[in-house]
Amino acid sequence: VISRDFAVEAIRKEVAENRKWAEVRFGNVRAHPISADTAALTYTVAARWNHETNATTSIASSIYVKRDGAWKLALHQQGALPPG
């Protein structure tokens, strides 16, 4: 579990090191409405950094809440899938 501050600092470090996503592909995207202002997304993602040769595939879920008319990420979880 990481905090927002930890995530922002990690992103700043990646930018300072010139690490960028070279490739990102989403698959099996499914939306699961929970209420009028809450929804969950489940999906797979294959992503590769600009300094890497191969993409890493993960399964992920994200929960969004609608606040002041805008959708905001409330929770995100992911785990790497083995190659294959």
Side-chain angles (χ1 to χ4, degrees), residues 9-79:
E9 184 57 33
I11 292 167
R12 286 184 177 141
K13 182 179 177 186
E14 290 164 354
V15 169
E17 294 173 355
N18 198 33
R19 291 179 51 169
K20 299 176 183 172
W21 291 112
E23 174 185 7
V24 178
R25 292 185 319 272
F26 294 92
N28 300 319
V29 178
R30 294 186 182 145
H32 308 275
I34 297 170
S35 69
D37 59 357
T38 308
L41 298 178
T42 58
Y43 49 95
T44 59
V45 61
R48 181 179 62 80
W49 289 101
N50 59 337
H51 66 281
E52 295 177 329
T53 305
N54 297 315
T56 301
T57 302
S58 299
I59 188 166
S61 57
S62 301
I63 297 177
Y64 289 84
V65 295
K66 199 171 199 179
R67 298 275 166 85
D68 299 323
W71 288 99
K72 305 285 184 174
L73 180 66
L75 179 118
H76 174 77
Q77 183 177 4
Q78 71 183 50

